[in-house]
């Protein structure tokens, strides 16, 4: 079932560089409604669990270090076809491959420090949303 919701994180590099406002502006202008949002700081255990699917990849340790080095903005976004449209808006994982005008093209520094997360399926959007938010924090 399609839920029309996706989950995003503005990652530590985007927060450190002061890009929260610009990225949220772009998300709003692209037709997404904010269902839930908070500034939060993932613990090492949080990041390991969130990215458990990548635990065998060579960059896993680096990814956990990066995602825990400072606060992030976690949010749930709603729009028709949210998962796919948000992946289009953020662009390819590696900003060098990301299309012009995408968030990663504009704000990401590298394949590792790529400014923003977007869920890759409706199923993962629901799992990732529940990881960060209780039902009482969704509006
Ligand atoms: P995605 O975020 O575009 O879905 P994934 O392949 O799911 O990309 O990887 C999750 C995250 O892990 C990426 O957003 C990026 O921060 C990091 N990552 C992915 N590939 C590499 C790599 O080759 N080197 C370092 N970090 C990586
Ligand atoms: Mg992914």
């Amino acid at each position: 079932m399609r839920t029309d919701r996706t989950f995003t994180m503005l990652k530590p590099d985007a927060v450190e560089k002061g890009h929260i406002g610009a990225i949220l502006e772009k998300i709003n202008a692209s037709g997404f409604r904010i269902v839930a949002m908070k500034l939060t700081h993932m613990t090492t255990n949080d990041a390991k669990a969130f990215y458990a699917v990548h635990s065998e990849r060579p960059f896993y340790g680096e990814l956990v270090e990066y995602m825990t080095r400072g606060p992030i903005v976690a949010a749930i976004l709603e729009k028709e076809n949210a998962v796919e449209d948000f992946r289009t808006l953020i662009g390819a994982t590696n900003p060098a491959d990301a299309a012009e005008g995408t968030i990663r093209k504009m704000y990401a520094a590298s394949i590792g420090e790529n400014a923003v997360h977007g869920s890759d399926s409706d199923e993962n959007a629901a799992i990732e949303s529940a990881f960060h938010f209780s039902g009482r924090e969704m509006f």
Side-chain angles (χ1 to χ4, degrees), residues 64-103:
V64 170
E65 279 281 313
Y66 158 55
M67 289 302 297
T68 57
R69 78 168 187 230
I72 61 160
V73 174
I76 301 171
L77 305 174
E78 188 172 75
K79 181 186 179 296
E80 195 181 320
N81 203 35
V83 166
E84 191 184 343
D85 287 2
F86 193 70
R87 294 288 302 201
T88 300
L89 179 64
I90 68 178
T93 306
N94 187 345
D97 302 329
E100 283 303 325
T102 60
I103 292 173

Side-chain angles (χ1 to χ4, degrees), residues 23-122:
I23 294 173
L24 290 180
E25 175 69 28
K26 202 162 167 61
I27 289 171
N28 268 328
S30 302
F32 292 88
R33 186 180 77 81
I34 294 169
V35 172
M37 186 163 68
K38 69 175 139 195
L39 189 68
T40 184
H41 194 148
M42 295 175 95
T43 65
T44 298
N45 280 343
D46 288 338
K48 282 183 174 170
F50 188 92
Y51 283 112
V53 66
H54 294 307
S55 62
E56 302 304 319
R57 309 283 288 277
F59 58 81
Y60 183 61
E62 181 189 328
L63 176 60
V64 170
E65 279 281 313
Y66 158 55
M67 289 302 297
T68 57
R69 78 168 187 230
I72 61 160
V73 174
I76 301 171
L77 305 174
E78 188 172 75
K79 181 186 179 296
E80 195 181 320
N81 203 35
V83 166
E84 191 184 343
D85 287 2
F86 193 70
R87 294 288 302 201
T88 300
L89 179 64
I90 68 178
T93 306
N94 187 345
D97 302 329
E100 283 303 325
T102 60
I103 292 173
R104 282 169 166 168
K105 184 71 176 186
M106 294 171 76
Y107 299 110
S110 66
I111 189 169
E113 303 206 4
N114 58 6
V116 63
H117 169 83
S119 304
D120 62 6
S121 66
D122 289 322

Side-chain angles (χ1 to χ4, degrees), residues 9-30:
M9 297 182 287
L10 311 191
K11 297 181 177 182
D13 57 318
V15 174
E16 285 161 10
K17 293 174 183 164
H19 291 150
I20 294 174
I23 294 173
L24 290 180
E25 175 69 28
K26 202 162 167 61
I27 289 171
N28 268 328
S30 302

